[in-house]
Amino acid sequence: MNLPKTDTSLFKRLRFILVETSHPGNIGSAARAIKTMGFSELVLVNPRFADALQHPDAIALASGAQDVLDATRIVGTIEEALSGCEYVAAVSARLREFSPPVLSPRVFAEDVTQRQQSQIALIFGSERYGLPNEIVVNCHALINIPANPEYSSLNLAQAIQLLSYECRMAADNGSPAASNIGFQGQLAAIDEVDGMYRHLEQALVAIDFLDPDNPKKLMPRLKRMLSRAQLEVEEVNILRGIAKKILDTRKS
């Protein structure tokens, strides 16, 4: 259930999403990690075990965070997990050619404390193969944890603990954002942005700017460019209006 917009506390707005988690113990450890930092919303996307939340390892490693485990939701798609979220960040040790802007955990935490009307999601990938590119490219930010370049792999629960700690510190300190551009409107939800990209792609095909049989890397590049803008609802509507006008013109 989505939290009301009136609750501006980051502790109520930040959602932790685990994608295709392999080990139930890591789910229990994740629940414990976020509870110790004051967070509570955990969502699983297609965990490896159907009974992951009841698995003995999950229960044992939750160790006092059984309430978080009991409230954890399991969904079948990343779209379901992100429902209602306006700002989404992926956590990965691997940088991508077409990634969104790359942030450190501390910069991310300081930024999201200022988004007082936005639902925030942090996505963590499978222990075995991380996050697929198609999830990362649709995020607003890619969080890369500074680590030993010769051995940069963190355990899933360790990464969650680190991010939740940084978010708690930023929320407690009320850190100012890195930049202030004056008035800021409501950030567009992730499904609104995805719909805009599909609409824009249709328009680009209609004017022969994009060849659907040979798309190359046009859409990933556009997504990377626009993700840096952190699109607001009105801005998404403007882009959809442009796409609609293009399509209407081509029909006439």
Side-chain angles (χ1 to χ4, degrees), residues 109-110 113-114 116 167-177:
E110 292 174 351
T113 57
Q114 305 303 309
Q116 296 183 5
C167 288
R168 180 177 184 86
M169 291 299 293
D172 284 347
N173 294 337
S175 302

Side-chain angles (χ1 to χ4, degrees), residues 2-15:
N2 294 332
L3 292 160
K5 298 285 186 180
T6 53
D7 194 338
T8 61
S9 167
L10 183 62
F11 299 106
K12 299 297 184 182
R13 295 185 291 109
L14 181 57
R15 182 181 306 171

Side-chain angles (χ1 to χ4, degrees), residues 9 23 61 75 78 90 137 146 155 203 210 223 238:
S9 167
H23 304 294
L61 289 174
V75 298
I78 189 66
V137 75
N155 170 270
L210 172 63
K223 288 181 178 182
I238 289 170

Side-chain angles (χ1 to χ4, degrees), residues 1-5 7 11-16 40-44 70-75 79-85 119-120:
M1 181 173 64
N2 294 332
L3 292 160
K5 298 285 186 180
D7 194 338
F11 299 106
K12 299 297 184 182
R13 295 185 291 109
L14 181 57
R15 182 181 306 171
F16 292 79
S40 60
E41 189 172 7
L42 185 62
V43 180
L44 310 181
D70 290 341
T72 297
R73 293 185 292 121
I74 296 180
V75 298
E79 289 77 15
E80 291 175 86
L82 291 173
S83 177
C85 291
Q119 291 292 114
I120 314 295

Side-chain angles (χ1 to χ4, degrees), residues 30-86:
R32 181 179 182 180
I34 68 173
K35 183 173 181 176
T36 59
M37 293 298 120
F39 301 97
S40 60
E41 189 172 7
L42 185 62
V43 180
L44 310 181
V45 181
N46 287 327
R48 185 178 180 188
F49 296 97
D51 64 343
L53 296 176
Q54 291 77 42
H55 195 282
D57 288 348
I59 294 171
L61 289 174
S63 186
Q66 186 64 44
D67 55 335
V68 175
L69 208 59
D70 290 341
T72 297
R73 293 185 292 121
I74 296 180
V75 298
T77 66
I78 189 66
E79 289 77 15
E80 291 175 86
L82 291 173
S83 177
C85 291
E86 291 102 358

Side-chain angles (χ1 to χ4, degrees), residues 35-174:
K35 183 173 181 176
T36 59
M37 293 298 120
F39 301 97
S40 60
E41 189 172 7
L42 185 62
V43 180
L44 310 181
V45 181
N46 287 327
R48 185 178 180 188
F49 296 97
D51 64 343
L53 296 176
Q54 291 77 42
H55 195 282
D57 288 348
I59 294 171
L61 289 174
S63 186
Q66 186 64 44
D67 55 335
V68 175
L69 208 59
D70 290 341
T72 297
R73 293 185 292 121
I74 296 180
V75 298
T77 66
I78 189 66
E79 289 77 15
E80 291 175 86
L82 291 173
S83 177
C85 291
E86 291 102 358
Y87 187 80
V88 180
V91 181
S92 177
R94 181 165 61 91
L95 300 179
R96 320 297 171 99
E97 182 182 4
F98 293 106
S99 82
V102 179
L103 305 179
S104 71
R106 191 157 299 173
V107 170
F108 165 80
E110 292 174 351
D111 181 29
V112 295
T113 57
Q114 305 303 309
R115 301 178 182 276
Q116 296 183 5
Q117 299 300 320
S118 298
Q119 291 292 114
I120 314 295
L122 271 172
I123 308 176
F124 298 81
S126 163
E127 305 94 323
R128 295 185 296 170
Y129 45 81
L131 283 171
N133 289 333
E134 56 266 26
I135 289 180
V136 174
V137 75
N138 286 320
C139 291
H140 297 94
L142 175 63
I143 300 175
N144 187 257
I145 299 173
N148 179 357
E150 296 180 1
Y151 187 67
S152 61
S153 177
L154 272 73
N155 170 270
L156 175 60
Q158 291 173 333
I160 293 169
Q161 187 75 78
L162 191 153
L163 263 296
S164 59
Y165 168 79
E166 289 290 353
C167 288
R168 180 177 184 86
M169 291 299 293
D172 284 347
N173 294 337

